[in-house]
Amino acid sequence: MSADDKTQANAMWGGRFQSGPDAIMQAINASISFDRRLYKQDIAGSRAHAAMLAAQGILTHSDAEAIREGLLTVLSEIEAGDFLFRAEQEDIHMAVESRLTEIVGEPGKRLHTARSRNDQVAVDFRLWVREQCDAAVEGITAMMRAFLAQAEAGADWVMPGFTHLQTAQPVTWGHHMMAYVEMLARDRSRFTDARARMNECPLGAAALAGTSFPIDRQMTAEALGFDRPTANSLDSVADRDFALEFLSAAGICAMHLSRFAEELVIWSSAQFRFVQLSDRWTTGSSIMPQKKNPDAAELLRAKLGRILGAAVALFTVMKGLPLTYSKDMQEDKEQVFDAADTLMLGLAAMTGMVSDMKAQVENLRTAAASGFSTATDLADWLVRELGLPFREAHHVTGTLVAMAETKGCDLTDLTLDEMRSVHGGIHNSMNEGVFQVLGVDNSVMSRQSYGGTSPDQVRSQIARWKALLG
């Protein structure tokens, strides 16, 4: 570190320190390499703070005006790429204040009156995370619309529903797509709820105890779009719940995206052939010319795990800290920045894949009819027509499935005599009914319970969500 750099570092900390930090200490301590992303929020917070100080008579109006103009100059320099970020300035707060003082002189030194870097970073970071909540809601809404379009196109396309990744019962493509609409709706509500909870302004809490200056915290809160100022100065600077809530909501959303990425990988395989992914979201092989790999889905499946890692990392940072501020909390931002970037990339990519994917309708239908998928329909029919207790009907149907497996055929290929050999109550007059119930179309159409897979129910849910999303 040069002599000038040491002098500047000392100026940051006041007269307590006679020499500058060790180079390694400087590398550990500085956050300017990543928290420069908060420049807009930092300048907005400083402008609100300066205006309030002038309104309260703590700053002169001429000083406040010089600060306002100087901050606008700093903003334009950063956005034009002309701003020189230096490691010795430690963080975005000192970088902006140092440059402001170079531009406007003495008034710039007055800006930090009645605040601390503790409440300054708390408000900057909260503003940034609030914006990310809004961006997440927008991205999730776009994906919901993509799933709605798929559901509407295939409300009556029949496909297999799975448990344990084995054929369970026939469902409709539209119903499967709408399951993700419901998941994403919960994700959207979590970000909305988190945003509402974090919308309190910590500016004015100062280092931890508040300030003796007659500040107006309601004024700065309103200027920055917050509902109210935070009510406890200790909590104001110690709190990172807003970041943890964002990461928690992002982690659940990432899990949902990763589940669908996994389905795309499976569905696009030669063994399933349920969907065809466009060339926009696939790659080839350097050696196998026939390959069309679902690389985008696979990459997302891996990348989205970083969000879960970020949540664990920040929980780990915060769990052992006493009130109020500790420098450990500087390690909050990189995790959240990376998680937010990864989430937005995941939402955009998955929305593109959902919009582009083509369902292979005949393959879906063929798969839906395999694996004795209508066995439950047969058991239900035995309950309705013969009055059997469901457990007995379940046993009869299981015996018939075993018989069909032994013969190497499906349930629809068994004769009435073979069925009657398992239960004598099945007779010829039931011929039409028993074989109708074994058809996949009749199976899905019969699921008329609210939230069921029938095309009518699916279309009802599509209409509800289209109305809600506007």
Side-chain angles (χ1 to χ4, degrees):
M1 181 183 286
S2 69
D4 288 343
D5 291 343
K6 289 181 179 180
T7 299
Q8 187 167 8
N10 294 346
M12 292 183 201
W13 301 332
R16 173 66 179 84
F17 292 85
Q18 299 304 310
S19 63
D22 184 89
I24 295 176
M25 174 59 190
Q26 184 182 19
I28 295 172
N29 192 50
S31 59
I32 190 67
S33 63
F34 53 85
D35 70 14
R36 66 177 66 181
R37 291 181 68 158
L38 300 176
Y39 74 91
K40 287 183 181 178
Q41 292 76 20
D42 193 74
I43 290 171
S46 291
R47 291 181 64 189
H49 183 65
M52 179 276 295
L53 292 178
Q56 294 298 104
I58 301 169
L59 276 186
T60 65
H61 287 285
S62 61
D63 280 352
E65 178 61 19
I67 289 170
R68 188 188 77 84
E69 292 297 325
L71 287 170
L72 289 176
T73 300
V74 175
L75 178 64
S76 65
E77 287 179 353
I78 295 175
E79 292 187 335
D82 298 330
F83 190 94
L84 178 61
F85 291 100
R86 298 193 296 268
E88 63 270 14
Q89 293 168 332
E90 284 193 24
D91 54 37
I92 187 60
H93 324 298
M94 294 310 301
V96 169
E97 185 178 323
S98 296
R99 178 60 183 141
L100 172 68
T101 302
E102 290 175 1
I103 295 169
V104 303
E106 191 71 19
K109 299 178 182 179
R110 301 184 187 279
L111 174 60
H112 208 54
T113 305
R115 76 174 182 184
S116 161
R117 279 194 291 180
N118 292 356
D119 63 336
Q120 191 177 357
V121 69
V123 73
D124 290 1
F125 197 24
R126 197 173 290 227
L127 285 169
W128 192 89
V129 173
R130 189 178 70 180
E131 289 179 10
Q132 296 308 302
C133 286
D134 293 340
V137 167
E138 184 177 343
I140 290 168
T141 302
M143 185 178 294
M144 290 174 72
R145 293 187 194 281
F147 274 113
L148 278 170
Q150 285 284 351
E152 195 165 24
D156 55 2
W157 298 342
V158 182
M159 67 175 290
F162 296 97
T163 59
H164 310 281
L165 201 56
Q166 298 188 51
T167 300
Q169 292 177 289
V171 296
T172 52
W173 173 264
H175 195 51
H176 198 109
M177 297 298 104
M178 290 304 294
Y180 282 95
V181 172
E182 294 292 334
M183 292 182 212
L184 291 167
R186 293 193 296 273
D187 292 326
R188 198 171 72 143
S189 71
R190 274 184 279 269
F191 283 111
T192 302
D193 290 348
R195 189 198 194 282
R197 225 175 341 270
M198 71 178 65
N199 206 35
E200 297 182 342
C201 185
L203 191 59
L208 75 162
T211 178
S212 59
F213 289 95
I215 62 174
D216 183 348
R217 293 192 64 207
Q218 190 65 45
M219 179 179 174
T220 48
E222 290 177 0
L224 294 170
F226 289 103
D227 294 331
R228 64 192 70 85
T230 50
N232 183 284
S233 62
L234 297 172
D235 180 56
S236 299
V237 299
D239 172 41
R240 290 300 183 270
D241 288 3
F242 62 92
L244 290 167
E245 280 201 71
F246 173 80
L247 290 176
S248 298
I252 297 173
C253 184
M255 176 267 293
H256 290 151
L257 300 187
S258 187
R259 292 184 76 175
F260 193 68
E262 170 72 1
E263 295 207 296
L264 286 179
V265 171
I266 293 170
W267 289 357
S268 62
S269 69
Q271 289 72 29
F272 274 73
R273 295 183 297 119
F274 282 6
V275 298
Q276 184 177 17
L277 299 177
S278 77
D279 293 348
R280 296 175 62 201
W281 305 105
T282 55
T283 65
S285 166
S286 63
I287 189 173
M288 295 169 285
Q290 83 281 9
K291 296 294 293 296
K292 188 174 184 180
N293 299 323
D295 281 9
E298 291 174 349
L299 285 166
L300 283 183
R301 192 172 54 183
K303 282 181 180 293
L304 292 166
R306 291 160 62 164
I307 298 175
L308 305 179
V312 172
L314 186 53
F315 273 109
T316 303
V317 167
M318 296 303 299
K319 71 176 181 61
L321 300 185
L323 295 182
T324 55
Y325 181 83
S326 297
K327 200 61 179 270
D328 311 51
M329 291 164 67
Q330 183 169 288
E331 292 298 304
D332 56 1
K333 294 169 202 66
E334 284 183 288
Q335 306 293 342
V336 178
F337 291 162
D338 183 73
D341 291 345
T342 302
L343 179 65
M344 294 312 297
L345 176 64
L347 288 169
M350 189 60 76
T351 299
M353 282 188 280
V354 172
S355 299
D356 282 1
M357 70 180 178
K358 303 295 183 186
Q360 304 299 290
V361 179
E362 289 306 313
N363 295 340
L364 290 169
R365 183 179 184 80
T366 299
S370 67
F372 309 106
S373 65
T374 56
T376 304
D377 297 273
L378 177 56
D380 289 345
W381 180 85
L382 290 170
V383 171
R384 288 194 306 270
E385 296 299 322
L386 301 185
L388 298 183
F390 182 79
R391 282 298 162 208
E392 183 179 350
H394 185 283
H395 177 75
V396 170
T397 303
T399 304
L400 291 171
V401 168
M403 178 186 291
E405 278 187 321
T406 300
K407 292 187 63 178
C409 67
D410 207 339
L411 285 172
T412 53
D413 299 315
L414 295 177
T415 67
L416 277 174
D417 286 340
E418 287 171 325
M419 291 184 182
R420 192 161 41 247
S421 71
V422 175
H423 194 283
I426 302 173
H427 51 80
N428 290 338
S429 64
M430 295 179 172
N431 181 20
E432 185 176 347
V434 71
F435 286 108
Q436 279 188 347
V437 82
L438 294 174
V440 292
D441 290 302
N442 287 336
S443 175
V444 296
M445 285 191 291
S446 71
R447 310 292 174 182
Q448 291 286 352
S449 56
Y450 180 80
T453 193
S454 73
D456 288 344
Q457 281 293 320
V458 170
R459 291 188 177 101
S460 175
Q461 293 299 328
I462 292 169
R464 179 175 73 91
W465 274 112
K466 288 177 75 172
L468 287 171
L469 294 180

